[in-house]
Amino acid sequence: MSTTLQNLVNQPYQHGFVSDIESDVAPKGLSEDTIRLISAKKNEPEWLLELRLKAYQQWLKMEEPQWPNVHYPKIDFQAISYYSAPKPKKTLASMDEVDPELLRTFEKLGVPMNERAKLAGVAVDVIFDSVSVATTYKAKLAEVGIIFCSISEAVRDHPDLVRKYLGSVVPVGDNYYAALNSAVFTDGSFCFIPKGVKCPMDLSTYFRINTENSGQFERTLIIAEEGASVSYLEGCTAPKFDTNQLHAAVVELVALDNADIKYSTVQNWYAGDENGLGGIYNFVTKRGLCKGVNSRISWTQVETGSAITWKYPSCVLRGDNSVGEFYSVALTNHYQQADTGTKMIHLGKNTRSTIVSKGISAGHSNNSYRGLVRIAPTAAGARNYSQCDSMLIGEQCGANTFPYIQVNNPSAKVEHEASTSKIGEDQLFYFAQRGIGAEEAVSMIINGFCKDVFQQLPMEFAVEATKLLGLKLEGSVG
Amino acid sequence: MIYQDSKTLLTVRKLHATVNGIEILKGMDLTIKSGEVHAIMGPNGSGKSTFSKVLAGHPSYEVSGGEVEFEGRNLLDLKPEERARAGVFLGFQYPIEIPGVANSQFLRLAYNTVQTERGKDELDPLEFDDFVREKMKLLEMNPDFLDRSVNEGFSGGEKKRNEILQMALLEPRLAILDETDSGLDIDALRIVAGGVNQLANKDNAIVLVTHYQRLLNYIVPDYVHVMESGRIVKTGGKELALELEARGYDWVGAEVKANARVNA
Ligand SMILES: Nc1ncnc2c1ncn2[C@@H]1O[C@H](COP(=O)(O)OP(=O)(O)OP(=O)(O)O)[C@@H](O)[C@H]1O
Ligand SMILES: [Mg+2]
């Protein structure tokens, strides 16, 4: 391996800084009291406190999962602070009222959100640490009956909707991290698209972890009623820290008859340094329920950050003729570990699912695809197509594919394709011989490799994702 | 063609190079002036491709001695992409496949990079499309090759044509064509050779690495060199290639040995 290729994948993290915003941090540790404190701070109704306590009781009985192909020291859940919020003086009505320091933070991240929001017509529900501090375009969305707000606001203003759907896709005791999230989640986004409404713009949230040692337990709930459709964008970056930070989010999507939800993520949390020190632990449960007939849920993710990623955005295809899609690019470098993939659970008749996974490993990183396709006895005529490609950059990294296929209906059709390729010195030399430097060559090869996924992303996001991969892999070529 | 007032393009002096610690080039000497066409012949494994790749700066090969001057610059100081931008072109014996990267995109980036280096304007995708299609006509290449991934699934001959297309786009000062003729059918050989001849002018030079006289029927060399064990052991005019075709390489080796004895 030439030094060029080594250098190429060693790009320092550019978003590593701590912004100086007063945080209201709860004491470290987890107990029923912590949960009561969170619930009280948020003035929550009794039913929600009960849901939290039930989740906590289940969590206490559960074991941390050992099956993912990732390795990390045991997490001390008592060393985490479960609540941290910038101190908002009051509820903000416009962008002008947002803390200028916060705005500067977004600037540094290359997310000039006020500009972006206006120019691109994106409504931004900004989550800073765990509490929403700004929501734009709310009025415009409200005109067509769309509710897009923080989950805390939703609990306050639309309790019946939240109560009906929260935990209906990911039950409180679903898995270790989901149970933890259900017990202690502080905020997140809520989105409700009423019957027949096509959301006129992409809805977007930028998540950001700011306070050291504050666990992040975001909760997102998106509901598309009959015939409704929405495209939701989630983007993440985090500042640089030496201590690991746990992030255990839960995202639930519900699509009723003929509804369509497209959920896109670009994730660039701090991945640790080139020696594997620090970085975010990203243990996320994302699941969509295609509840109604002809409904469709599509996950697109570009995962480039976090020290450890453990994430399987899934679709439960209950409605007949419903469609589930999963398009993923997961890039790992240095000592990053990713175990990611999807689950497609076919319950309804003629349900269809597509899985396209592109794993890119560089440095000493380890990148695993883990996917389950289950065809239930009821899912006559179900079809799945899976394609899992891995690309290796350098000699020290690893890639694995763990496809699990369970077919319980003879009329189903399941196809799986997999490939592994390598960016070789001879390919880079070929580019060089035509005047093209290694950085550009790698970025061209990677973008070609990820094409099938990128074309699923909304335009601006695709551009961002392309840049991000470049950033992650390019660097001081010497 | 040999011109009276031509400038020296490339000077190689006592070049030694190793790969994985094994010495392959053992004292190459070669001078090339603008306008000239040189043929390098020699048995399999004599180091022709190694020499080509060393000139282009392949990272697997280490230069262990000697010097290479290209238009007055120390070529060995330049990175491979800088050599390419300076006008050194290598038509590969085995062009590599690059899945996922569209040929059109690759060709345009290469073209624009070299244009920028020469202080000329880049072409946008539409302008480039027109431009490249003209060049492809010259080589009787189907424009479908633009939409395919670089060299992926191309037949041997198609890959070679794609190499010459790149030469046509990049207009190098020094083009080293490593066995561009192998794998070409009879018609393709004529077409490709025609393309190369059109590109040859008094300001550039061409090095043809080949095993066969038939290419040299189309592209007539000014000099023919014979390589053996990592160095040039004999140089002659175009008639040397005919002699090699008739007699093989053994007699060259014998002659070299005899000379060595005389000199010793
Ligand atoms: N990477 C390598 N590792 C080991 N040996 C190598 C390597 N590259 C070249 N060689 C050896 O160097 C010698 C010269 O190879 P080269 O490809 O330059 O020959 P050539 O003259 O181009 O032959 P041909 O006419 O068959 O194309 C051969 O013996 C070859 O095996
Ligand atoms: Mg050769």
Side-chain angles (χ1 to χ4, degrees):
Chain A
M1 180 60 28
S2 72
T3 49
T4 312
L5 214 50
Q6 291 284 346
N7 291 337
L8 200 61
V9 296
N10 294 338
Q11 168 87 358
Y13 189 73
Q14 302 204 330
H15 298 159
F17 50 84
V18 185
S19 44
D20 186 19
I21 295 178
E22 270 184 274
S23 279
D24 174 8
V25 183
K28 290 177 181 179
L30 180 56
S31 65
E32 277 204 17
D33 289 344
T34 322
I35 292 163
R36 287 179 196 281
L37 172 86
I38 293 169
S39 198
K41 275 215 177 226
K42 302 174 76 64
N43 292 318
E44 284 176 354
E46 191 58 29
W47 64 264
L48 189 47
L49 175 62
E50 273 163 24
L51 180 143
R52 288 178 182 279
L53 293 173
K54 190 171 134 205
Y56 177 64
Q57 286 310 324
Q58 299 212 24
W59 179 75
L60 286 175
K61 293 192 212 102
M62 296 170 104
E63 295 278 341
E64 228 175 309
Q66 300 300 322
W67 49 264
N69 188 24
V70 298
H71 307 277
Y72 55 92
K74 217 166 161 44
I75 297 169
D76 179 2
F77 290 96
Q78 298 307 332
I80 294 170
S81 152
Y82 288 86
Y83 184 79
S84 140
K87 282 178 188 154
K89 315 288 180 290
K90 54 183 188 293
T91 310
L92 303 172
S94 82
M95 296 292 292
D96 305 340
E97 296 174 39
V98 176
D99 186 336
E101 177 67 17
L102 175 57
L103 290 178
R104 267 195 296 281
T105 303
F106 282 104
E107 222 91 30
K108 280 191 227 168
L109 290 170
V111 186
M113 67 173 168
N114 41 359
E115 292 265 58
R116 180 184 289 260
K118 280 189 207 121
L119 291 175
V122 172
V124 182
D125 177 21
V126 178
I127 306 258
F128 192 78
D129 262 26
S130 312
V131 170
S132 301
V133 291
T135 303
T136 51
Y137 281 77
K138 221 178 199 167
K140 198 169 168 195
L141 293 172
E143 266 171 40
V144 287
I146 292 172
I147 305 166
F148 180 39
C149 60
S150 73
I151 199 125
S152 317
E153 285 174 282
V155 167
R156 194 185 62 213
D157 301 339
H158 311 279
D160 295 344
L161 274 179
V162 178
R163 193 172 184 177
K164 180 170 176 189
Y165 289 107
L166 192 76
S168 72
V169 185
V170 180
V172 293
D174 186 81
N175 67 69
Y176 190 78
Y177 301 111
L180 181 63
N181 174 288
S182 302
V184 302
F185 72 86
T186 44
D187 218 332
S189 292
F190 176 80
C191 175
F192 176 81
I193 318 290
K195 212 166 170 168
V197 171
K198 310 257 175 259
C199 186
M201 64 190 86
D202 293 345
L203 301 182
S204 168
T205 303
Y206 288 92
F207 291 88
R208 188 160 160 76
I209 299 176
N210 194 52
T211 308
E212 190 161 6
N213 280 333
S214 76
Q216 285 283 302
F217 303 95
E218 313 285 356
R219 188 83 190 196
T220 299
L221 177 58
I222 300 176
I223 300 141
E225 282 197 329
E226 291 84 352
S229 75
V230 62
S231 165
Y232 187 89
L233 320 181
E234 174 202 297
C236 317
T237 52
K240 182 164 182 157
F241 289 126
D242 281 337
T243 48
N244 291 303
Q245 288 189 306
L246 174 64
H247 181 95
V250 171
V251 176
E252 295 177 282
L253 313 181
V254 181
L256 303 186
D257 290 355
N258 304 302
D260 191 328
I261 301 175
K262 189 173 170 57
Y263 192 105
S264 313
T265 310
V266 172
Q267 188 263 120
N268 181 26
W269 283 335
Y270 180 50
D273 67 12
E274 60 273 22
N275 299 313
L277 192 65
I280 303 290
Y281 290 181
N282 190 21
F283 301 149
V284 182
T285 304
K286 288 184 167 175
R287 193 175 305 155
L289 174 62
C290 282
K291 199 169 180 180
V293 296
N294 305 318
S295 56
R296 189 174 84 118
I297 288 179
S298 179
W299 298 99
T300 305
Q301 61 173 22
V302 178
E303 301 283 319
T304 68
S306 300
I308 302 176
T309 300
W310 179 97
K311 180 180 175 188
Y312 314 90
S314 304
C315 296
V316 179
L317 305 171
R318 189 191 289 164
D320 290 347
N321 307 315
S322 60
V323 176
E325 293 171 333
F326 175 73
Y327 298 96
S328 168
V329 167
L331 180 150
T332 53
N333 192 3
H334 302 310
Y335 287 86
Q336 277 178 280
Q337 308 173 60
D339 194 302
T340 185
T342 185
K343 286 187 269 185
M344 293 292 174
I345 312 294
H346 292 253
L347 303 174
K349 290 191 193 63
N350 300 316
T351 45
R352 278 167 294 145
S353 63
T354 303
I355 298 170
V356 177
S357 161
K358 306 281 180 174
I360 303 160
S361 335
H364 293 81
S365 69
N366 209 335
N367 203 327
S368 300
Y369 167 81
R370 191 183 301 276
L372 168 68
V373 176
R374 181 189 293 153
I375 313 281
T378 48
R383 274 181 296 156
N384 161 267
Y385 172 75
S386 303
Q387 186 191 332
C388 302
D389 300 322
S390 309
M391 178 167 278
L392 304 173
I393 303 175
E395 311 292 334
Q396 267 101 38
C397 53
N400 298 288
T401 305
F402 303 104
Y404 304 90
I405 299 169
Q406 301 166 359
V407 180
N408 294 310
N409 186 303
S411 64
K413 213 176 131 198
V414 173
E415 281 175 82
H416 181 91
E417 287 176 24
S419 78
T420 302
S421 52
K422 216 168 188 170
I423 297 187
E425 206 144 74
D426 279 318
Q427 281 183 330
L428 292 183
F429 181 61
Y430 193 77
F431 276 92
Q433 219 308 298
R434 303 306 185 237
I436 302 166
E439 288 186 9
E440 261 185 305
V442 167
S443 130
M444 211 171 189
I445 294 171
I446 293 289
N447 284 327
F449 179 69
C450 300
K451 198 163 48 196
D452 295 346
V453 175
F454 284 175
Q455 66 195 19
Q456 297 296 328
L457 290 170
M459 251 297 249
E460 323 86 72
F461 240 29
V463 172
E464 218 173 287
T466 307
K467 278 197 206 138
L468 187 58
L469 290 199
L471 199 83
K472 285 291 189 173
L473 289 173
E474 290 170 12
S476 43
V477 183
Chain B
M1 202 177 296
I2 300 172
Y3 297 87
Q4 286 310 321
D5 57 345
S6 62
K7 286 186 301 238
T8 301
L9 261 187
L10 181 81
T11 316
V12 178
R13 285 187 211 99
K14 298 198 168 50
L15 183 66
H16 290 253
T18 62
V19 58
N20 300 330
I22 312 160
E23 185 167 65
I24 311 284
L25 298 185
K26 301 168 182 169
M28 277 291 287
D29 287 293
L30 181 65
T31 301
I32 296 176
K33 290 183 170 173
S34 57
E36 295 175 350
V37 175
H38 291 241
I40 298 182
M41 306 182 79
N44 295 133
S46 55
K48 303 181 297 294
S49 293
T50 302
F51 177 59
S52 311
K53 285 191 243 179
V54 167
L55 288 186
H58 194 292
S60 297
Y61 300 87
E62 199 177 321
V63 173
S64 47
E67 354 183 301
V68 180
E69 208 174 276
F70 178 70
E71 295 198 296
R73 298 161 84 179
N74 179 357
L75 192 70
L76 301 177
D77 273 354
L78 303 182
K79 287 192 257 182
E81 59 269 31
E82 292 168 341
R83 299 184 196 194
R85 291 175 205 159
V88 175
F89 178 90
L90 171 57
F92 287 87
Q93 183 174 2
Y94 304 109
I96 197 153
E97 303 192 353
I98 307 167
V101 175
N103 206 21
S104 56
Q105 220 188 337
F106 174 77
L107 295 173
R108 190 168 75 88
L109 183 58
Y111 176 79
N112 281 339
T113 306
V114 171
Q115 285 295 99
T116 304
E117 179 80 10
R118 292 175 186 163
K120 296 194 186 138
D121 286 343
E122 297 192 1
L123 294 184
D124 68 33
L126 290 177
E127 293 167 332
F128 182 76
D129 194 61
D130 292 342
F131 179 70
V132 71
R133 277 165 193 265
E134 278 308 309
K135 298 281 179 192
M136 289 177 97
K137 263 188 216 158
L138 215 78
L139 296 166
E140 298 182 27
M141 257 179 103
N142 188 328
D144 287 354
F145 285 105
L146 290 174
D147 299 327
R148 290 173 58 178
S149 293
V150 180
N151 294 328
E152 194 185 26
F154 288 23
S155 76
E158 289 163 352
K159 284 181 182 164
K160 296 301 175 67
R161 260 195 238 207
N162 204 37
E163 293 293 289
I164 300 306
L165 174 64
Q166 293 174 53
M167 174 183 169
L169 289 171
L170 302 181
E171 298 183 340
R173 305 278 287 167
L174 174 68
I176 307 153
L177 305 180
D178 191 0
E179 297 201 27
T180 298
D181 52 339
S182 62
L184 291 179
D185 66 39
I186 297 158
D187 290 333
L189 181 66
R190 182 177 42 75
I191 293 159
V192 164
V196 173
N197 280 329
Q198 281 201 33
L199 293 167
N201 60 41
K202 71 173 183 24
D203 294 320
N204 60 26
I206 294 164
V207 177
L208 302 167
V209 175
T210 183
H211 287 293
Y212 304 106
Q213 170 59 33
R214 52 176 196 188
L215 176 70
L216 306 180
N217 289 335
Y218 291 107
I219 311 171
V220 181
D222 302 302
Y223 298 97
V224 174
H225 309 279
V226 180
M227 260 191 94
E228 218 176 84
S229 311
R231 64 173 80 92
I232 288 173
V233 292
K234 190 173 178 66
T235 295
K238 62 174 192 271
E239 56 304 326
L240 177 57
L242 290 167
E243 198 173 356
L244 292 169
E245 180 107 320
R247 298 173 62 191
Y249 289 115
D250 284 352
W251 64 275
V252 182
E255 201 181 279
V256 171
K257 280 200 192 98
N259 286 343
R261 271 197 298 278
V262 170
N263 292 341

